[in-house]
Amino acid sequence: MLSEPRGCVVKRNLIFSFLLTIIFALGCQSTEPTIVAPAASPSEIRPSAAAQHTPASMPQAPTPAPSCAKPTSEMAAACQDQVAQILNATVRIELEYWSEGQIVAETGSTRYEVAEATSHATLINKRYLITHNHFPISPRELKEDTGGLRLRLSLYTLQGEAILKGASLRNFDVVAEWPETLVLDFRESGEVLFKAFGVRSMPVGTTAVTHLPVGTEVAQINWDGAKTWVEWVRIERMTTEQGVTQIILSSSVRKGASGGGVFWNGQHIGNNWTTNEVRNSANGEVIDTYSVAAVNAEMLFSS
């Protein structure tokens, strides 16, 4: 009886488990970019110094740099200051937009609610809020005098104090729209209002020229449905899809954290967009989670 030749492997009874990525979008919108206001451009984001190469004769994992996720005693105070600054610039938004004048057959009602959303936003340049673009159509089309779609917006501090309740498009301007990003201007009266509630601006930057390297630590807004906090997470990669530059982060965020800022080196560089889960198709087990943030487009603001 002949034996099986050496080196020949009979492949049988192998089952391949494929990974399915289930994407839970926290909001989406695609519109043409608009410049906010002519003035000096924000500071350019530059990558940190490249990591030193490990000599081939000494193979070993590189020593991780000190980080705010696990700060040394010397850097703990500086990290806490960054967290305080980020939280002081963050507000919670409640949006409601609906259509009037249409009769809903099931109820006979003449007011049909389109959608509502809770999200976060960051104050920049004293009067602008930058957040996620949740709207299925441009907010510029939600005019108060058309008898059609309408909008109401309320703003709250992270402690739950109402800054503004039930504001319409008569109270603020939609000054910029990019895919997944929206910038609202609350005018000069907004400067007074935000200051009165202790909300302070963060500098804003872009990554249009230079992408941040993989492994860069950034700060990200998250929340649990009641409390908002800052997490220190790592960039896993950066990519561009459908005209949107995206930061893939080693974290997950809850729905409602959408629009919350992502910060690097003291600058707002993007806003929370989605949380993704990677599952094993055989048993549905979640084996990885990550979040995606939309990077700021080029913006110009008066200082």
Side-chain angles (χ1 to χ4, degrees), residues 61 106 169 188 205 209 214 257:
E106 293 79 3
L169 284 169
E188 292 183 0
V209 179
V214 170

Side-chain angles (χ1 to χ4, degrees), residues 274-289:
T274 69
T275 283
N276 299 356
E277 290 182 351
V278 181
R279 293 177 181 265
N280 186 314
S281 62
N283 57 21
E285 179 185 359
V286 176
I287 59 175
D288 190 22
T289 59

